[in-house]
Structure formats: structure tokens, C-alpha cells
Amino acid sequence: MIIEFFPQLMTVGVIAIFMAISPGADFVMITRNSIFYNRKSGLFSAVGVSVAIWLHVAYSIAGLAVIISSSVLLFSIIKYCGAAYLIYMGYKTFRANTSLDIEPSQGSMSGWAALRIGFITNALNPKTTVFFLSIFTQVVEPGTPVLIQVLFGAIISLAHLIWFSGVAIFLTQPRLLSAFKRSKNTIEKIVGGVLVAFGVKVAFHSN
């Protein structure tokens, strides 16, 4: 059965890779948690993003993707909640007084908090919602088995986990952290401003 759907699986895999590596709110949030706290926070946030993918998979398999795609109100609610969260996190980062700790054990963010931030950021990300609307309304056909749809989700989730874990590991190299620490205040303002900008863009982007 899997061989029969191999072309679709490959298509989803390629799209998932480009989806994960394209700049967006998830990337900025992983960057924020990695360099302002520690590698552990970045990795837990990556897991949160990966877990959130399954929320999109669940409503897509349940058929809610069609409802969301046809309901301006429902999609708008998701969009504005996501925008508000990004603006809130951006404001907190802009006004933050965090410490850039080279030693992973010195971070002040718990693993659960980092995972939660990654999860919420992706769950309320309209970009991800639109991506799943495309996948499950165009690639998935009425006769596509649930197992294959779950495999689609697994591929997308794994792609995000691998990419963002790699981002967290790369950004927390000691030499990079030393450079970040010297420009701590500037980086906080830039990251905070970018998150707010993403939030504003999401809020005013046309459906």
C-alpha cells in the first residue's frame, strides 16, 4: 500500500522540507529561546513545534481542513490569535532583560515552558494552517487511507523536528553564544521587533 502512494509521500516530503526551512515565526521563536536561554530551551521548543504539527494533522484527517478553508470567520480567528501571540511574545522579548548563558544548565526557562512556546507558536501559525489546507485538500484524495495521511503527518513533523533541532544546536555553539552575549541588548530588540512585525503581517495579511 505504501509503495502505491510513494509519489505522494515524496511530494509531501519535499514540500515539508521547504516548509520547515522557510523563514517564519517558528524560526524566530526557536532562535529566541536558543540564544536567550540555552540549547535545551531551543530543543524543547523544536519538540513543541513538531508536536503541534500533529494538531494540524488531526483536524485535517478529521475533515476540518475543508471547513476551515471555507470559513472566513474560523480562519480569521486562528489568524488573529496567532498574530496576537506573536506580538505579545515580541513585546516581551523587546522589553526583556534575559541573560545569554553559555552553559546550558544556567538557563531560566523550563523545558515545559519552552515546549509550550514552540507548540503555541506553530499551532496558531496561519502559515502552517494554510500549508495543511493545501496538502489535505489537494494531495490527499477521498480514497487516501488514514495510515497514509498519518505518514504525511509523520514526515512533516519529523522534518520540522530535525530542522529546528539543528537550528538550536547551531545557534548555541559556544563561539556564537559569546558573540551573541556581546550584542545581547541589540539582539533582543531585533528579535522582539521581528516577532512583532510577523504578528502585524499576519494580522493584516489578506486571506
Side-chain angles (χ1 to χ4, degrees):
M1 181 176 67
I2 294 179
I3 296 178
E4 178 184 352
F5 291 93
F6 186 75
Q8 290 95 323
L9 291 169
M10 289 296 294
T11 299
V12 171
V14 172
I15 296 174
I17 292 173
F18 282 101
M19 175 66 182
I21 67 177
S22 62
D26 293 338
F27 180 84
V28 179
M29 199 67 77
I30 298 296
T31 298
R32 169 191 183 270
N33 291 347
S34 297
I35 67 175
F36 293 160
Y37 295 96
N38 53 31
R39 179 175 294 179
K40 175 184 173 182
S41 297
L43 290 173
F44 269 93
S45 294
V47 172
V49 169
S50 178
V51 172
I53 292 297
W54 288 102
L55 174 64
H56 300 288
V57 173
Y59 69 64
S60 297
I61 291 178
L64 296 180
V66 177
I67 297 175
I68 294 174
S69 64
S70 60
S71 172
V72 175
L73 176 60
L74 185 54
F75 184 79
S76 294
I77 291 174
I78 296 173
K79 181 176 76 170
Y80 290 123
C81 285
Y85 183 72
L86 290 176
I87 292 171
Y88 167 71
M89 292 301 295
Y91 176 77
K92 281 185 61 178
T93 303
F94 191 86
R95 296 293 302 274
N97 186 27
T98 55
S99 60
L100 295 177
D101 299 312
I102 295 179
E103 293 299 327
S105 62
Q106 296 176 358
S108 59
M109 178 183 286
S110 69
W112 169 248
L115 188 149
R116 185 175 66 246
I117 288 174
F119 179 89
I120 295 175
T121 300
N122 184 269
L124 296 179
N125 190 345
K127 172 184 166 185
T128 307
T129 301
V130 170
F131 170 68
F132 272 87
L133 296 182
S134 299
I135 290 294
F136 280 83
T137 57
Q138 296 182 33
V139 177
V140 176
E141 300 175 352
T144 303
V146 173
L147 174 60
I148 297 300
Q149 297 182 49
V150 171
L151 283 177
F152 288 164
I155 291 171
I156 299 167
S157 177
L158 183 61
H160 281 71
L161 178 61
I162 292 174
W163 169 251
F164 287 118
S165 294
V167 169
I169 292 172
F170 174 76
L171 291 176
T172 50
Q173 298 298 319
R175 288 185 179 181
L176 282 178
L177 282 180
S178 296
F180 291 146
K181 189 171 184 179
R182 290 193 294 270
S183 305
K184 167 183 172 293
N185 292 331
T186 300
I187 294 174
E188 284 179 336
K189 299 298 184 291
I190 292 174
V191 172
V194 170
L195 284 172
V196 170
F198 269 119
V200 172
K201 179 182 178 181
V202 166
F204 290 98
H205 184 70
S206 173
N207 293 345

